[in-house]
Amino acid sequence: MPLSRLAASYGVATSYSPSPGRTVPATETAVIAALAALDVDASTPQAVRAALSAREAEQSARLLPPTVVAWTDGPLPPSLVGLPPGTRVRVEKEEGGEIEWDVPAGSAAPAHGEAGEPRLPETLPAGVHRLHVRSPGPGPSEGGGTSGDGGTSGDGGGTTAHLIVAPRRLGTPERRTHGLLVQLYSLLSRHSWGMGDLGDLAELAAWSGRALGTGFVQVNPLHAAVPGPAQGAGSDPSPYRPSSRRFPDPVHLRVEAVPEFAYLTGKARDRADELCRRAAGLRASVLRQGALIDRDAVWALKREALELLHEVPLGPGRRAAYNAFLAEQGAALEDHATWNALAEIYGPDWHSWPAALRDPASPGTARARREAMDRVDFHCRLAWLTDTQLAAAQRTAREAGMDIGLVHDLAVGVHPGGADAWAQQRHFAPRMSVGAPPDAFNARGQDWGLPPWRPDRLAESGYAPYRALLRGLLGNAGALRIDHVMGLFRLWWIPEGREPTEGTYVHYDAEAMLAVLVLEAHRADALVIGEDLGTVEPGVRETLREHGVLGTSVLWFERDWEGTGRPLPADAWRADCVATATTHDLPPTAARLTGEHVQLRHDLGLLTRPLAQERAEAAADVHEWLGLLSRLGMLPGGTGCEEDEIRAVHRFLLATPARMIGIWLPDTVGDRRPQNLPGTWDEYPNWRLPVADAAGRPVTLEELAASPRLHALMAVFREGGRAG
């Protein structure tokens, strides 16, 4: 069928398998819309035939794809092996210099491996290089690239492409380690301004590393958020729908730790002191009066304080450091800061701005940038300050003895009206949203409201925005967690105005996505953790493991699904993973043990079956796990004591071969409330709850450090699980 062939050539699926042995066709509307988002007209049978003919002609004429991937310990890529004899190959190395060779008859490279297969020259290091290939004779004229981002280009019988050379596999943790998982905003201290900040993160790392022997602290995405509109409606509190994944959010700054704060004088000092007093009131309202975390209120105070600091001249050393940061970040930072400056004037959705400002490269935008240069500089300065405090937190973690330190989180995508979607709009598919198809947990599917990257534009650019994103995040991290890591392989695209059930999968070049990921993590000497929970395409976990990407295993989901269905024995768990009892999207362990999570979902009208049936099933699940823990000797006092049961759960995690074990910080004090309840919006205070104890009373960082319940749980790790 022509439409199926055309769709397949662009990686657009015409069907998918939600479970083994079951295939569901994608709607023709979804397939046509996905192709349209890739600038392919498939609206009529005639258009499909014309597009297919053009696509096949383009592919047959190309000597190389836009991006070629090679592994440092592997054979030459097939696209280079297949070049005709006499072809001239020239590689411009990333760090400078060139390597050239002519393809002789029967070979495509100047070097061969032990098995005789052609290989890249040993003098070509890992990196992102430029590959120039010219075939003998006149040859066809190449096409398909765009000069704007250095894509594949044609030159008579020649082709230019990107060559990504990466190590095949990342290293694993040097030794087994455990660490804390926390949503940073939820961790308040005596010094934070109504939500957790980078000072609290550094304090948590210093204390837990030295006193608890933790090897890492994993936090939620610290990406820059979309500010609330001027009309007063609150901003989206979800850290997984940011304005920018490339730059961190200055709301996390510890204002008093900015060096210029000490040099405020006169009225500026008086105003700063007043802002600190108001911040103390925000903190008290959360800790003592039960208010929710109000990110917008916190940011309003911090922004005013930071504007005062912006008036303090930087000293020569600080100025030099700031200038170096500006030079390093380049146009990406300038675009990010420009979006923020324009959002202050025109609102946080660039689609509603004056037409001349919707293009970041337009003369109108350049003019507006010049007119708002002070605000652009202000937002550049905020990015620098936040980066320096993130770096300080990572240094603190390593100095406290942590092998890994901070584990940052990469969200799946960005808000369609935010800074990244504006600055990189040619890389995003228009009128499309990322989500998930219907499954056993959600019969209607999910729409996450995130525009997807275009796989073709990524390849043409040598994955430039993806590389810059990873490099920025890994610069101040010991590891990176990738939310919905399956998105490196494919994403569920939903056409604008359609239900999630009317979407289809679009595939990415997983080899290239993984090569960039491994390359950037290798350069940063960092680990990578993939969140691979839920429905996973066959072969994905195996491929990730092959490249050293750790998975995520949650105790309650680890069962022998292909056999008895019973809890998976500890020694049958995979080693290449982070093992946990829960996550930010799941009930805390205390709530699961008591069944309170079922009651919560019932109260919010989220259950699809009778309450009694849901309760019985949840209780049976817990009973089966506790029975196993008792038989293993991990519950010496028997069931009935919640704290003992939580400790037993973590003893079981220690009995698995998992290389990393994550402890949900709210579990250490018996918190019952999930930080996020999927399927809710304003029915539940997602992303706005402070860490609390079993009674729901907010607990400060200082109280956590002194908590007998926390220390009793962490003793399980000091003992190394000897009770089991």
Side-chain angles (χ1 to χ4, degrees), residues 514-563:
L514 284 167
V516 172
L517 176 62
V518 171
L519 174 64
E520 294 299 337
H522 171 74
R523 286 170 157 169
D525 192 24
L527 305 173
V528 176
I529 302 158
E531 185 273 297
D532 57 352
L533 303 174
T535 303
V536 183
E537 191 179 11
V540 166
R541 288 195 175 105
E542 293 77 8
T543 301
L544 293 172
R545 184 171 62 247
E546 176 188 347
H547 293 292
V549 177
L550 303 177
T552 302
S553 293
V554 178
L555 179 130
W556 309 100
F557 301 155
E558 291 297 312
R559 289 179 172 271
D560 180 13
W561 298 113
E562 297 180 0

Side-chain angles (χ1 to χ4, degrees), residues 79 117 181 284 347 541 621:
S79 56
E117 79 277 12
L181 317 178
R541 288 195 175 105
D621 183 45

